[in-house]
Every structure is written in C-alpha cells, then in structure tokens.
Amino acid sequence: MELNDQEQFRRDSLNELRAMGIDPYPAAMYPTDAFSDEIKENFQDGVEPLRKVCIAGRMMSRRIMGKASFVELQDSKGRIQVYITRDDICPDEDKEMYNKVFKKLLDIGDFIGIEGFVFRTQMGEITVHAQKLTVLAKSLRPLPIVKYKDGVAYDKFDDPDLRYRQRYVDLVVNDGIKETFLKRTTVIKTLRKVLDDAGYTEVETPILQSIPGGASARPFITHHNTLDIDLYCRIATELYLQRLIVGGFGGVYEIGKNFRNEGMDRTHNPEFTCMELYVAYKDYNWMMDFTEQLLEKIAIATNGTTKVKVGDNEIDFKAPYRRLPILEAIKEKTGYDLEGMSEDEMREVAKKCGVEVDPSMGKGKLIDEIFGETCEGTFIQPTFIIDYPVEMSPLTKMHRSKAGLTERFELMVNGKELANAYSELNDPIDQYERFQDQLRLSQKGDDEAMFIDQDFVRALEYGMPPTSGIGIGIDRLVMLMTGQLTIQEVLFFPQMKPESKD
C-alpha cells in the first residue's frame, strides 16, 4: 500500500510511541465517568471543590502555546475544551510526555483519555483541566478537517460518494449527520412503543424463503448448498405474518430487512427496512385511522411537532388525511376515466399520457404505471389513495360495495408511497385464483408477478379471521421525519457501486 506523507508520518509516530514503551492501542478498560454534554449542563460556578472527571474521546483540534495547550475533545455526546499544561501532566522532572508525546507524536484524530477537574476559563468556556493524559488509540489517517482561508473552505468532506462509502468519517467531521441517525432511532423506538402499547406481538420470520411472496417485486436469489435448492431473500414478511394470524395471534408485527433486486435511486435501496403489522378482526378503514394516530405520535416524538420541513414543502402529519380512490385520482390529474376500460384502451391512455408500456403489462400494471407517472408525485400532504382494482391487488379482499375493486390503500406523502395496506384476503379459493392470475402474468414476461405459495393457501384453508395489514417503509419514514431528500442520507451504509481501484 502506497502511503502519502501524512500517513507515513503517523506510522513513524506510532513506532516512536512503541519505542518509548507507550502502547498506542492499550487493551485495558479506560474508566470514563462523564460525557461532554452533561459536564456542560451540570457545571455550576463558584462550587467547591471543583468536580473531578475522567473523559475520553477524539482530539479534533489543538492549540499549543509553549508549556500550555488547548484541545477540543469529541466524545459520543459532543465536544468539550481541554486545558493541558506540561507541569500538570508531567509533575516530575521527566517532561517527555508533554514535550514529545503530546506536542509531536499525537495527531488530530487520535483518541486520548483525560483525568482532571472542570472549571470556566476567563473567556467563559467550560473546560476540563487535564491532570493526566492517556493515549488510547492512534489514528493512522488524517481527518478531513475543514480549514478556512479568505472565506473559502478547504478539505470539506462533502462529496456524497465519499460520505456514503466512508460513513465513519462523515459521522466524525460533519455536523448534523449523527443527529439524523439518532432521530432514526427515535422513529423506530416510538413505532415499536405504539405497537407494543396496543398489545401487538413483535415476531421474527424467515429472511431466506423458498418462495418470495407478499409483494410484486424481483427477488435476490441465492443457493443453499446442503439442501441443494435455490432460496430467495424475502421481498416482504406478509405471508408468514398472516400464517401467525391463522395460528391464533391477535396482532403481530415485524421490523426487519426486505430485499428487492430492482433499481436504485434517491428513494430506493435494494436492502431496506420495513414494518409490517397484521391485526385480526380489523379492516382497512380501521387501519387508516390507526396509521394517522401512529404517524402523529412519531412526528411529535421525533420533532416535537406534527409539521416537518422536507425541501421546499412543509408536511403536516396531523390527522385526518384525505382519502381518494385511485381511479378518481387518475381522472382528477389526467382527465381520463379508466373505470370499465379494456386493457387495450388503458394502453392507449398510457401512451397519450407519455407513459411507457410493454406487452407484458396487464390492467393492474398499466393502472400502476399511469398513476405512478402522472399522479403519485403530486400528493405532498399525507393522502390515502384507496380502492385499487383487483388486478393490482392479488392479496386484498374484494371491496364490500364496489365491484372490481379491493379494500386497499397506499399512503402517499411528499410525492412517494410511504405505506401499503389491505383488508386481507382470507378466502383460500379466491386467493388461489388470484395466484393463478399472477402466474399468467409471469408467463407473459412480468418478472415482478407473484409466485404461487401453496403452503399459504393451505394455511388459509384452515381459516383466517378478517384481518387488516399494513407495511410501512421505515427508511422513507425517516427521510420524512428528518427532512432528507435521499434515502442514502438515512442509511448508515447504503448500497454502492464497487469502489474504483484507480
């Protein structure tokens, strides 16, 4: 590996530390008892004796002024100033720890431990006065610390490709990145609490599946050597969760990874986090009400308000949300009424709307494409698009009063789908026939059509009560709650093209 001058200098420093008998990567536990944020919050002027603390973190800046220096230390909670003097950390005659180790062999980015007391400087900054310094970890690569000259910023770490590949650096040097992921944690914790408080049971279902079911999507395929069979990374958890409703659970949910071998863009990653919930004896009307309450609580827990700024849009998650049938939405946006149209007529409408179509598309796919291209992006405020045609919804109960439609909704927010929900189809004969329809689409060339899951049909034949289910994309939900415009900003390690070797 070819090293630049700074990397070589740091390795030389590493070797010098070892030659001095200082372990640059000590194994012993370091006894921290305080963090930067609470030291500042709890500091009181005029209180004696001064509080003693033991802190640790990464050295982010250093100002050496002869026998004294100031360091900015970054720990997991923030940053705090440290005051270091030669005589304090080297009370005996040997001043090598300060003169050589601290001033020459330690670098920005190194981890150090500090024992000392808290005071306020003459400039008014709460500071830790170091009485002992311990080397905890040597950094062999220089951090891209931003420097300013004549109003111009240099060494900014703002290239998206670098930031996503090296998230560990992004988190260290860029303000606000960590807060986005802390909000992600709040979103998931709040979601889980609401579901737990409602009495629903969190479960786990298989990720490797013999049949990829529960959604229309292209799966990832792998091979199990011992069984000598192909398996699929799950595209949804739906069919396994419904089996648990058959087995007697009243309400189950799972928060986990799904995988779809499809395109990547600012709102799609091939590996994504989803929450699916299924509740017995409920329908999609109840689920819409529950979803409104759930998102209100998540918004308030995450941001203290139901309103969130995303780009130029202010989105309000305060209930109630508009409820609009999908065919009415298409008519409203395009002027075309698709109700009762044949497949060929829909194909003509798609062409007139500038929507690309191909011979493999049936009615459901055509409606989906027309809606996606002409309508979806126009719904900024939370809107339930409801009552989808049966061709689009192979797992959904037929509408109780509207022929040819199903009891399904998708929640659109900021121009994208956030949630998909049904009154679940629990008629095993109807379900098998819907699977047969999907098989015919697959034979026409639709590689997103569903497989026939014979075991799921068998489960339904034992009887499943009326049930409502929903899937919510967690990554997109976090994007909304944090005001981010790309999914890569809310994933610690998004999928990337292989790194260039040049």
Side-chain angles (χ1 to χ4, degrees), residues 133-153:
L133 182 151
T134 303
V135 179
L136 297 178
K138 181 72 182 161
S139 171
L140 299 183
R141 288 179 180 264
L143 289 172
I145 303 297
V146 179
K147 300 178 182 65
Y148 294 91
K149 184 178 181 181
D150 300 327
V152 179

Side-chain angles (χ1 to χ4, degrees), residues 32 34-38 55-58 73-80 111 171 178-179 182:
T32 57
F35 291 99
S36 56
D37 59 345
E38 68 89 8
I55 62 173
R58 193 188 290 271
L73 195 74
Q74 177 173 292
D75 63 14
S76 62
K77 303 294 184 180
R79 298 187 181 189
I80 193 166
F111 281 88
L171 289 163
K178 188 173 184 178
E179 284 67 29
L182 291 174

Side-chain angles (χ1 to χ4, degrees), residues 348-366:
E348 286 302 313
V349 169
K351 291 178 181 178
K352 290 176 182 178
C353 293
V355 179
E356 292 187 11
V357 297
D358 63 62
S360 73
M361 294 181 179
K363 280 188 177 182
K365 197 68 176 287
L366 290 168

Side-chain angles (χ1 to χ4, degrees), residues 175 241 326 395:
D175 293 335
L241 293 174
I326 187 171
L395 299 173

Side-chain angles (χ1 to χ4, degrees), residues 159-176:
D159 178 77
D161 187 77
L162 276 177
R163 288 182 52 237
Y164 303 151
R165 289 186 191 281
Q166 300 179 34
R167 183 69 81 186
Y168 39 88
V169 178
D170 189 31
L171 289 163
V172 172
V173 302
N174 286 327
D175 293 335

